[in-house]
Amino acid sequence: MRIKIQFYSLCLFCFLDCQPPDLCNAADTTSTCGILQSTLQNPNTANLPSVPHCSICRMFVTALPYNANLGGIVGADNKCSTASNKPSSGTYKALIVDDVNRRACTSVNCTSGGVTEQIDWVLAPNTTYVQAIDTSKTIFISNANGVNTNNLTDVISPASTGIWTGIRNNPSWDWLTYSGFTCSSWTDGVTTTCGSYGVTSWTDSRSISIYTVTAGGPTQYNLLCVEQ
């Protein structure tokens, strides 16, 4: 009788106290689970990265160039969405920052806060990015912070052109917003030397930004569009 009582007591204890293992690490904001947990725990989700829809994501450079009055970040995204050379599938946003509506990092390569430093950033962590015109050509694989810190595996585009970005990259990769060089959040097509840009034929950090040179608002440059 005593053995039966002890057995039933043990069963009741396990029923009340034992819980299934928690397989979600909320601190891992590079995982889908972590992002969802952070969203639930933080009412202000503006800085959190979106869950990527593509695992191997494509990049293309707009067929048309534009002056620096892009209509802001929203206008730049719209230009990617309506570009004549946009692939027939996928959602695309412009790799361009203004530190208010879109931001990559607030510390060099996001080493302090990781993806929590970002605002509506277009690169996802640990993701392969390829040329849209030739998906066999990998441009880079982003790190856990959703940026790239190595030379590109291949060029962004075989055709050399300038791309508006607003990134600093001084003297190498840093993914900081180049303060004062986003052409008034990409609404100024008049002021001289107001915007930072990269060149698509280079494979170092100058592919995203040439720190030593900036361009005037009237300059015609393209946009780098990234699949989401």
Side-chain angles (χ1 to χ4, degrees), residues 102-127:
R102 179 163 296 154
R103 180 174 68 211
C105 298
T106 56
S107 64
V108 173
N109 298 319
C110 298
T111 51
S112 294
V115 296
T116 62
E117 297 180 13
Q118 298 166 358
I119 299 174
D120 192 29
W121 183 226
V122 298
L123 300 180
N126 304 314
T127 300

Side-chain angles (χ1 to χ4, degrees), residues 10-122:
L10 179 61
C11 290
L12 180 61
F13 173 79
C14 287
F15 177 79
L16 295 175
D17 191 63
C18 295
Q19 299 293 329
D22 182 7
L23 301 180
C24 176
N25 179 8
D28 181 11
T29 55
T30 66
S31 68
T32 300
C33 178
I35 292 171
L36 293 175
Q37 287 294 319
S38 297
T39 302
L40 292 173
Q41 295 171 11
N42 296 279
N44 180 12
T45 60
N47 291 2
L48 296 175
S50 59
V51 178
H53 296 289
C54 50
S55 55
I56 296 179
C57 301
R58 295 167 290 180
M59 289 182 164
F60 75 92
V61 176
T62 56
L64 294 177
Y66 308 93
N67 67 36
N69 184 2
L70 300 168
I73 298 296
V74 171
D77 287 347
N78 286 339
K79 287 173 173 55
C80 285
S81 297
T82 58
S84 61
N85 60 328
K86 171 187 170 291
S88 58
S89 63
T91 299
Y92 290 81
K93 290 185 175 182
L95 194 154
I96 194 168
V97 299
D98 65 0
D99 215 39
V100 176
N101 302 289
R102 179 163 296 154
R103 180 174 68 211
C105 298
T106 56
S107 64
V108 173
N109 298 319
C110 298
T111 51
S112 294
V115 296
T116 62
E117 297 180 13
Q118 298 166 358
I119 299 174
D120 192 29
W121 183 226
V122 298

Side-chain angles (χ1 to χ4, degrees), residues 102-186:
R102 179 163 296 154
R103 180 174 68 211
C105 298
T106 56
S107 64
V108 173
N109 298 319
C110 298
T111 51
S112 294
V115 296
T116 62
E117 297 180 13
Q118 298 166 358
I119 299 174
D120 192 29
W121 183 226
V122 298
L123 300 180
N126 304 314
T127 300
T128 299
Y129 290 90
V130 300
Q131 293 180 6
I133 59 173
D134 186 351
T135 56
S136 69
K137 293 185 176 180
T138 297
I139 301 170
F140 62 80
I141 300 174
S142 63
N143 63 19
N145 293 335
V147 294
N148 173 64
T149 58
N150 300 308
N151 280 356
L152 306 184
T153 305
D154 212 320
V155 294
I156 291 171
S157 171
S160 180
T161 186
I163 49 171
W164 293 116
T165 64
I167 300 290
R168 189 182 73 159
N169 281 355
N170 175 37
S172 185
W173 304 99
D174 64 28
W175 294 97
L176 300 172
T177 301
Y178 198 171
S179 179
F181 293 98
T182 62
C183 293
S184 299
S185 292
W186 306 108

Side-chain angles (χ1 to χ4, degrees), residues 196-213:
S196 72
Y197 67 97
V199 175
T200 59
S201 58
W202 282 328
T203 56
D204 57 20
S205 63
R206 294 173 297 175
S207 59
I208 298 298
S209 178
I210 310 170
Y211 177 74
T212 56
V213 181

